[in-house]
Amino acid sequence: MKYMLLIFGDPAVYAATPPDRIEANMQAWFAFDERTRAAGVKLAGEALQPPETATTVQVRDGEVATTDGPFVETKEVLGGFYLLECPDLDAALEWARQIPSGMLETVEVRPVVEFA
């Protein structure tokens, strides 16, 4: 079954983190990424640019509106994701537990709906 691991964090925490700690955290991320590849569970995974680079598109009653920036103001923002193939939720949660949390990330694990 496919599971999406959505990784949220607070940009203010990242901005206040010393560069050497950021570098150490990045090394932990690279190691985690390699473990998911080696285990054969990683289908996809990427970091995202900051929320201020987003463009939001809304279609209401046939009218299209685009807005620079994220849809909602929130403290924690979506910073990246992993799409994993796991035998069950427990396995997906075990991978989520291993995600480096040096920048105080929060991980939301959601099963993917697979349409026939």
Side-chain angles (χ1 to χ4, degrees):
M1 179 167 217
K2 293 178 183 150
Y3 290 89
M4 183 69 74
L5 280 59
L6 301 165
I7 304 157
F8 294 88
D10 183 345
V13 170
Y14 184 81
T17 303
D20 61 327
R21 185 162 171 221
I22 290 173
E23 177 59 29
N25 194 55
M26 289 306 300
Q27 294 307 314
W29 274 104
F30 296 146
F32 173 78
D33 191 75
E34 182 53 38
R35 287 193 309 275
T36 63
R37 288 175 193 269
V41 298
K42 181 180 178 184
L43 300 176
E46 300 293 342
L48 301 174
Q49 292 289 335
E52 57 269 14
T53 66
T55 301
T56 302
V57 178
Q58 293 181 312
V59 179
R60 301 291 184 271
D61 297 322
E63 297 293 319
V64 178
T66 59
T67 307
D68 290 338
F71 178 66
V72 294
E73 293 294 325
T74 181
K75 182 178 174 184
E76 288 192 333
V77 298
L78 180 62
F81 68 92
Y82 274 88
L83 178 61
L84 304 181
E85 181 76 43
C86 298
D88 54 35
L89 178 60
D90 288 338
L93 294 175
E94 178 57 27
W95 283 108
R97 184 193 65 74
Q98 296 177 50
I99 286 181
S101 59
M103 303 296 133
L104 306 176
E105 288 87 1
T106 299
V107 181
E108 178 181 330
V109 178
R110 293 176 66 180
V112 174
V113 175
E114 296 190 51
F115 295 100

